[in-house]
Amino acid sequence: DLCAELASSHPLEGGYYQWARMAFGDQVGYLTAWWTWLGIFATNATFIVMFNQYLGYWVHLSFWPQFLISLSLIWTTTYLNIKGIKLVGVSSAWMTLLFLLPFLVLVVLGLYHWQGNPFIPFSHPEKSTLTAFGEAMMVGVWLYSGYDKITVSAEEVENPSRNFPRAFAIAVPIVAARYFLPT
């Protein structure tokens, strides 16, 4: 990942904003920061919409209850961010464990009830192998995006040239297993 490489060699607070500014000047640095902020804003809004869509599948709610749930999620995460990085770190660790628990249960149940070869058919029978590969690549890019976000605070990491590559070497196989095993 380019951001991991840059965080290792140029550990600056602000990450890609600082790197774009160093390479191309203040205007490009500003635009990079602005577009990144908009992208994060849109992505986070998408997660809340997805949460409500999944919730709506299980519990049929009208517009206002769904709106209030969305608003409470937004304000809860805003409150956590205002309270500081330590609370965000602790709550993120607990939420990660909470979110991974159902996947762990599915993996254990899946292994217990395993029948047949999971690679047959290799791709969707109604799609060409090339189409299936292209769609899998798009899903893969989505699933593995986001690692650049941790590089924004690279200046706060002890020995980033050593620790970023180590962290990615540990995290990427775990994430790959987390996506592969449940399916």
Side-chain angles (χ1 to χ4, degrees), residues 56-117:
Y57 177 80
W58 297 104
V59 180
H60 299 290
L61 299 171
S62 62
F63 171 78
W64 285 109
Q66 279 194 315
F67 178 79
L68 292 174
I69 289 169
S70 295
L71 200 59
S72 68
L73 285 170
I74 292 167
W75 282 109
T76 301
T77 55
T78 302
Y79 173 78
L80 290 173
N81 280 288
I82 289 171
K83 291 306 277 182
I85 192 71
K86 288 184 181 180
L87 184 59
V88 169
V90 169
S91 61
S92 293
W94 280 108
M95 283 193 284
T96 299
L97 290 174
L98 180 69
F99 293 148
L100 288 179
L101 189 61
F103 289 102
L104 179 63
V105 170
L106 286 175
V107 168
V108 170
L109 289 174
L111 290 173
Y112 180 73
H113 294 287
W114 187 343
Q115 298 174 2
N117 186 344

Side-chain angles (χ1 to χ4, degrees), residues 124-173:
H124 194 285
E126 296 176 15
K127 296 183 180 190
S128 72
T129 303
L130 185 60
T131 300
F133 179 75
E135 290 174 355
M137 290 298 293
M138 289 189 318
V139 169
V141 167
W142 169 258
L143 294 177
Y144 288 95
S145 65
Y147 287 106
D148 57 325
K149 305 300 183 264
I150 65 170
T151 61
V152 175
S153 57
E155 195 171 24
E156 298 174 22
V157 174
E158 272 185 39
N159 197 358
S161 60
R162 182 193 73 152
N163 289 331
F164 270 108
R166 279 184 167 181
F168 284 117
I170 293 168
V172 171

